[in-house]
Amino acid sequence: MPAAARTYWLTSPCRIRRKDESLIIERDNADNVHIPVTDVRDIVACAETDLNTAVVSLLNRHRINVHLLSYYGDYAGSLLTSDTSTSGETVLAQARAAQDPQAGLAIARSIVDACAFNVRRVVDRKLLTRPYAVLQASVKTSTNQAQLMGAEGTFRRSAWEVMDTKLPDWLQLAGRSRRPPKNVGNAFISYVNGITYARVLTAVRLTPLHSGIAFLHGTMERQRHSLVLDLSEMFKPLMAERLLLRMSRRNQLKEHHFDRDTNQAMLSDAGRKLVVQTVRDEFAVTVAHRSLNRNVAYDELLYLEALALTRHCLEGTTYKPFRIWW
């Protein structure tokens, strides 16, 4: 993303205090960490975090958002600054595109197709060839967002079944479950999806788009940023499914990285730190961008995706959702 500052990840319970133009991170059994506020782009709080009005005032003045993950690792909410990059002209153009039955449906179709493409790419191209073909046929005949979501759900169930064949028994998903996740595989997926959602929200807030005007999720989702849900769909496979398979294959995930109770599971403190560090490193990985002719980090891909949708709304350029090309 286009900023010299960086994202700070809080993986241990802490208190954020303010001293002049700096933030002080206080933790039990650890030294305080002083951070110049100009070095902070946003904060992802993966553990319990306390902050006060003085901190919020400073964060708001420097347009720094704080994203909060819940006890179970789901996205819980954000402290968003009052000042945004949203522009009236762009919001009107975005709303017109979303309300146009043909234009809005075309974008929703392309998002579902791209999401399935990326899932197939990271899980198994051969075994998901037929489910992907079925999804593409359903996408073409779908006439509303609900049908598209149904087609995506059917494809996802096939993909999760294939994933389970590649995971050890104790990491298998056995279907998707949330709030709380029923097993450790779902706990991992929920946690990384929550982080991805938070990172996409930061990217959208850097553009003139309105985060509540969407094309696929529309008004179906409450208390969420619907456009962020739309754009997150394409990146969740790149981060969640792909990392789960890779960390399992490399035997990086252990049973002590999770706390399990009756019919629910969550990452342990050690597991949370391992996963956050892995995701953080992954967002910094760069790939050669085919049209920009330079390397871009995964993190920047989120911002570029939001910019592509901005251009579509304002200039009418064809929107092509993100697909893994490497």
Side-chain angles (χ1 to χ4, degrees):
M1 295 183 201
R6 51 182 169 159
T7 298
Y8 279 83
W9 305 76
L10 306 179
T11 57
S12 303
C14 64
R15 177 182 295 108
I16 306 177
R17 299 180 67 86
R18 173 182 176 179
K19 184 176 182 182
D20 299 326
E21 293 299 301
S22 296
L23 300 175
I24 302 175
I25 310 298
E26 297 179 345
R27 296 166 295 175
D28 293 338
N29 305 318
D31 295 334
N32 294 344
V33 177
H34 293 248
I35 305 171
V37 72
T38 52
D39 190 48
V40 183
R41 179 173 60 203
D42 60 355
I43 297 172
V44 181
C46 305
E48 186 175 348
T49 302
D50 293 334
L51 44 77
N52 57 26
T53 305
V55 172
V56 172
S57 176
L58 182 64
L59 296 176
N60 188 59
R61 184 146 51 86
H62 289 270
R63 300 184 60 191
I64 298 170
N65 301 318
V66 181
H67 305 294
L68 308 165
L69 299 186
S70 74
Y71 180 75
Y72 292 106
D74 294 313
Y75 172 79
S78 297
L79 292 174
L80 301 176
T81 60
S82 55
D83 184 21
T84 72
S85 302
T86 303
S87 80
E89 180 185 6
T90 304
V91 172
L92 288 173
Q94 183 184 355
R96 283 195 294 270
Q99 289 184 320
D100 184 313
Q102 295 304 317
L105 189 61
I107 294 176
R109 283 172 170 161
S110 64
I111 289 174
V112 171
D113 193 311
C115 173
F117 177 91
N118 291 340
V119 170
R120 180 189 173 211
R121 188 69 179 260
V122 302
V123 175
D124 193 304
R125 299 188 202 185
K126 183 177 180 180
L127 293 179
L128 289 176
T129 297
R130 181 172 175 78
Y132 182 56
V134 171
L135 174 128
Q136 287 185 306
S138 298
V139 164
K140 287 180 181 177
T141 58
S142 294
T143 57
N144 55 57
Q145 281 79 3
Q147 292 176 357
L148 287 171
M149 298 282 279
E152 183 190 14
T154 300
F155 175 81
R156 282 279 194 177
R157 283 189 286 276
S158 299
W160 292 325
E161 289 176 0
V162 173
M163 274 194 66
D164 279 349
T165 66
K166 300 172 180 292
L167 295 169
D169 291 347
W170 70 279
L171 265 178
Q172 290 180 1
L173 300 175
R176 189 76 175 94
S177 60
R178 310 173 177 83
R179 302 177 189 176
K182 292 182 178 179
N183 53 45
V184 298
N186 274 287
F188 181 96
I189 294 288
S190 290
Y191 203 83
V192 179
N193 281 351
I195 293 175
T196 303
Y197 177 91
R199 306 301 305 130
V200 173
L201 177 56
T202 289
V204 170
R205 295 274 293 186
L206 292 172
T207 73
L209 292 171
H210 192 292
S211 61
I213 302 176
F215 301 89
L216 176 61
H217 290 82
T219 56
M220 294 174 61
E221 300 290 342
R222 294 183 299 174
Q223 301 177 340
R224 289 295 183 100
H225 300 272
S226 299
L227 181 62
V228 178
L229 289 173
D230 281 6
L231 299 182
S232 298
E233 292 292 337
M234 289 86 71
F235 294 96
K236 287 176 179 175
L238 174 66
M239 304 307 296
E241 282 90 346
R242 180 166 161 270
L243 285 182
L244 178 58
L245 289 170
R246 188 174 78 189
M247 295 179 75
S248 170
R249 190 166 55 246
R250 295 179 179 178
N251 205 27
Q252 291 175 292
L253 287 172
K254 309 291 186 183
E255 299 207 28
H256 74 267
H257 289 135
F258 299 89
D259 292 331
R260 284 183 276 194
D261 202 346
T262 304
N263 211 30
Q264 65 182 42
M266 58 182 288
L267 286 164
S268 65
D269 288 343
R272 186 184 307 121
K273 290 178 181 177
L274 171 66
V275 172
V276 168
Q277 184 62 53
T278 303
V279 173
R280 179 181 174 178
D281 292 344
E282 199 68 13
F283 272 121
V285 171
T286 60
V287 292
H289 197 281
R290 293 183 294 187
S291 58
L292 295 180
N293 295 320
R294 63 176 175 84
N295 288 338
V296 297
Y298 287 4
D299 203 33
E300 188 176 356
L301 291 175
L302 312 180
Y303 176 68
L304 294 175
E305 190 69 12
L307 279 186
L309 189 56
T310 304
R311 284 194 293 272
H312 171 78
C313 294
L314 287 177
E315 304 168 7
T317 56
T318 302
Y319 173 59
K320 297 179 180 178
F322 165 74
R323 292 176 182 237
I324 300 172
W325 67 80
W326 59 95

